[in-house]
Amino acid sequence: MNIINQALSAISQLAFFTFIPFIWYVICNKKCSGFFRWIGLKRPPVFDRTLLRFVTFTIAAFIVVPIGILYSLKGVETATSEFSGMGIAGLPSVLIFAFIKTALSEEILFRGFLLKRLSSKFGFTIGNIVQSTLFGLLHGVMFFPLISFEKVLLIIVFTGLIAWCMGYANEKKADGSIIPSWIIHGISNTFSAIISMFGIIA
């Protein structure tokens, strides 16, 4: 997929994932200061050492552990398969895919909308468990017909745990900003795509 098609695809997915949060905001939250602040698309008050350490740890976990998962998915079409064998020429498309198409759109929907709305209704603990479970299921169920149940369960549990960590980083360390989880998500997706770009796991 060339960079123009990737950009158009990213814009379409971002609009689709933002549609429900925006409609909800318009109907129920007209008194809020603005949609972007409402979903947490704002600068964290301070990127202190605790937040930086937590983000770094989560990025490391999100990069190291998926190697095993990607290895178990050899021969199976994944979101990053379109970059297979492209080499360094695929990097601009990968960055659009990683940071806009997947990371930003999913962070707006899961951590910016679902987590915040669920937390306001049921409290942070339940809200974070629910959003992370849904995130894990979204990333696992698509592989049900393709790989064993054990591998699907591994994907669900792993992505769910990372989603929980990202929700915690945003709400407990960054005053509700989704910027930390966007960074974590974007970097990890870039890493996964680079593995495909260079055929590291062939």
Side-chain angles (χ1 to χ4, degrees):
M1 182 181 286
N2 67 39
I3 191 167
I4 294 173
N5 289 339
Q6 190 64 250
L8 292 173
S9 176
I11 291 167
S12 298
Q13 183 159 312
L14 184 58
F16 180 74
F17 276 59
T18 307
F19 180 73
I20 292 174
F22 184 72
I23 294 300
W24 188 288
Y25 169 80
V26 169
I27 294 171
C28 304
N29 297 278
K30 292 179 179 177
K31 294 180 181 178
C32 287
S33 58
F35 175 68
F36 293 114
R37 291 191 64 80
W38 183 73
I39 59 171
L41 200 53
K42 60 181 183 178
R43 183 177 178 180
V46 61
F47 242 96
D48 64 11
R49 287 182 182 178
T50 306
L51 176 57
L52 211 52
R53 279 197 297 266
F54 195 87
V55 168
T56 303
F57 168 79
T58 308
I59 288 171
F62 216 165
I63 285 175
V64 172
V65 177
I67 293 174
I69 293 175
L70 288 170
Y71 185 81
S72 73
L73 292 173
K74 282 195 305 182
V76 176
E77 283 286 315
T78 66
T80 59
S81 295
E82 64 186 286
F83 305 110
S84 181
M86 291 179 69
I88 196 67
L91 188 58
S93 293
V94 161
L95 293 175
I96 293 170
F97 162 83
F99 280 92
I100 308 298
K101 183 177 179 179
T102 54
L104 182 57
S105 59
E106 290 177 7
E107 291 312 310
I108 287 172
L109 181 62
F110 284 93
R111 261 67 66 187
F113 176 63
L114 282 177
L115 174 56
K116 292 181 186 303
R117 305 297 67 80
L118 290 168
S119 294
S120 67
K121 185 78 173 175
F122 305 106
F124 171 75
T125 300
I126 291 175
N128 205 27
I129 290 170
V130 172
Q131 72 82 15
S132 59
T133 301
L134 291 173
F135 188 80
L137 287 169
L138 174 73
H139 287 77
V141 293
M142 66 184 79
F143 294 110
F144 264 124
L146 306 171
I147 57 177
S148 69
F149 174 77
E150 292 79 10
K151 289 178 180 178
V152 169
L153 189 60
L154 177 66
I155 293 168
I156 291 171
V157 169
F158 170 71
T159 53
L161 283 172
I162 293 299
W164 188 93
C165 289
M166 292 192 294
Y168 183 85
N170 291 350
E171 299 301 320
K172 297 300 184 181
K173 302 291 183 182
D175 193 33
S177 170
I178 64 169
I179 300 298
S181 61
W182 184 17
I183 292 169
I184 293 166
H185 204 154
I187 291 173
S188 66
N189 286 353
T190 301
F191 180 78
S192 296
I194 285 172
I195 289 175
S196 287
M197 280 167 56
F198 293 100
I200 295 170
I201 297 176

